[in-house]
Amino acid sequence: MAKIFCVANQKGGVGKTTTTVNLAAGLAKVGQRVLMVDLDPQGNATMGSGIDKRTMALSVYDVLLESASVAEAAVLSEKCGYHVLGANRDLAGAEVELVELDRREKRLKTALAAVDADYDFVLIDCPPSLSMLTLNGLCSAHGVIVPMQCEYFALEGLTDLVNTIKQVHANLNRDLQIIGLLRVMFDPRITLQQQVSDQLKAHFGDKVFDTVIPRNVRLAEAPSYGLPGVVFDPSARGSQAFVTFAQEMVDRIRTM
Ligand code: ADP
Ligand code: MG
C-alpha cells in the first residue's frame, strides 16, 4: 500500500518543490517505488524531474477531469528513478472547471487508489495557496510534510497551515496529519535561524524532523539541468541531507 504525502506550505519560495523532487529521488535511491505528482500549474517539479511540461502528452489535469488514469498519464523519469504525473498551465483552468463537478475535492484521491499497489510512496507537490488543487492533495494524503525556513514570521504562517489541516482532517480526510516540519535553506551561522529552530522544537517537539537541509547552491542549480540535486550532484551537502531525510521518512512511517 502506498503512503501518500503532500508537501505543502501556503508561502511561495519556501522550498516545497525542491523538497518534493529531492525526497522523491532520495527515496528512489534507497530502493522505494515512487510516484511524484505535480499539483502546481507552474510545473516546476515536472521540469525539475526532467519531463518537458510543454510536450507532455497527458498530465494531472487529465486525471482530475477523469479523461485519463494515473497509469496512463504518469511517465518514468529514467534519470531520476521515479514516475512523474506532471503539470503545466492547463492545470490553472482545472481550478475553475472542477467547481462545477461532483466529488471535486476527491478526484485525485480516487485516481490514486487505482495505483495504490504500484508504489511505496506518492509525493504531491502543492501550489502556494489553499486552492481546490491543494485541497485535492490534502484529501488524498496520509500526511503533510511542511518545509520551512527558520525566519522571523515562520511560526505565524504555520498557524494558518495547521488550522487548514485541522479543518480538512475534521471534514474531509480523517487520515490526515502533519508528519513533520522540515527545516530547509538552513544557515547555522545566522543566529536568528538557530533561535527560530529552537522555538520550533520547543513548540512542535518530535514533529520537527531531525534532518536539516542546509542552504546549498547545488540544490538551486540542479533544476536548470532538469534534475533534482540528489541526482545532479549526489556529493553536494544539500543532496546528502535529502538522502538522509529520505531514510528518516522510511524509518518514521514504519512507526506510523
Ligand atoms: P516553492 O516550491 O515553495 O515555491 P522552491 O523549491 O521552488 O520553493 O524554492 C525556491 C527557490 O529556492 C528556488 O530557486 C530553489 O532552487 C531555491 N532553494 C530551495 N531550497 C534550497 C536550498 N536548500 N539551498 C539553496 N537554494 C534552495
Ligand atoms: Mg513550487
Side-chain angles (χ1 to χ4, degrees):
M1 202 187 94
K3 280 287 175 197
I4 306 176
F5 299 112
C6 278
V7 179
N9 188 326
Q10 289 105 315
K11 276 183 78 176
V14 290
K16 290 182 291 296
T17 299
T18 306
T19 298
T20 309
V21 299
N22 282 285
L23 177 57
L27 286 167
K29 238 185 185 165
V30 297
Q32 304 293 307
R33 299 168 304 160
V34 182
L35 171 67
M36 195 285 294
V37 179
D38 191 352
L39 267 189
D40 189 337
Q42 290 182 72
N44 292 344
T46 305
M47 297 295 278
S49 302
I51 307 298
D52 191 339
K53 64 181 178 184
R54 292 155 305 199
T55 56
M56 204 166 40
L58 292 166
S59 72
V60 70
Y61 171 81
D62 302 285
V63 170
L64 290 173
L65 293 186
E66 296 181 344
S67 57
S69 66
V70 175
E72 286 164 344
V75 291
L76 173 66
S77 168
E78 278 176 34
K79 281 185 197 149
C80 301
Y82 55 84
H83 285 91
V84 175
L85 178 55
N88 54 30
R89 291 310 309 172
D90 291 347
L91 191 56
E95 193 77 47
V96 180
E97 290 168 64
L98 280 171
V99 172
E100 306 274 297
L101 305 174
D102 62 326
R103 303 175 295 103
R104 57 184 180 228
E105 66 286 309
K106 302 249 167 122
R107 295 246 163 165
L108 183 63
K109 181 188 173 73
T110 308
L112 287 174
V115 294
D116 196 51
D118 300 336
Y119 299 102
D120 300 305
F121 283 90
V122 177
L123 300 179
I124 305 171
D125 187 31
C126 289
S129 61
L130 182 69
S131 57
M132 186 54 67
L133 294 172
T134 301
L135 209 51
N136 261 275
L138 294 176
C139 282
S140 310
H142 299 109
V144 186
I145 297 165
V146 184
M148 54 185 309
Q149 286 171 262
C150 290
E151 286 175 345
Y152 187 62
F153 288 116
L155 282 168
E156 255 175 58
L158 219 52
T159 314
D160 296 339
L161 184 63
V162 169
N163 286 337
T164 299
I165 291 168
K166 274 189 187 151
Q167 276 181 24
V168 174
H169 173 86
N171 300 310
L172 293 164
N173 178 6
R174 276 278 157 204
D175 290 340
L176 192 68
Q177 55 170 311
I178 292 187
I179 303 300
L181 308 175
L182 178 66
R183 291 162 286 174
V184 298
M185 298 189 226
F186 194 76
D187 185 343
R189 292 166 304 183
I190 301 174
T191 311
L192 177 65
Q193 293 208 2
Q194 278 292 359
Q195 287 169 349
V196 174
S197 174
D198 291 344
Q199 276 181 348
L200 271 184
K201 278 193 279 189
H203 248 81
F204 293 96
D206 60 8
K207 286 279 181 201
V208 181
F209 289 111
D210 293 334
T211 311
V212 177
I213 310 298
R215 183 171 284 284
N216 178 215
V217 70
R218 300 300 269 171
L219 291 176
E221 287 168 352
S224 63
Y225 297 87
L227 294 171
V230 165
V231 179
F232 172 62
D233 184 354
S235 66
R237 272 190 322 127
S239 306
Q240 289 177 347
F242 271 115
V243 174
T244 304
F245 178 49
Q247 192 56 57
E248 183 178 356
M249 278 299 296
V250 171
D251 296 342
R252 198 170 273 227
I253 65 150
R254 268 202 207 106
T255 59
M256 237 170 88

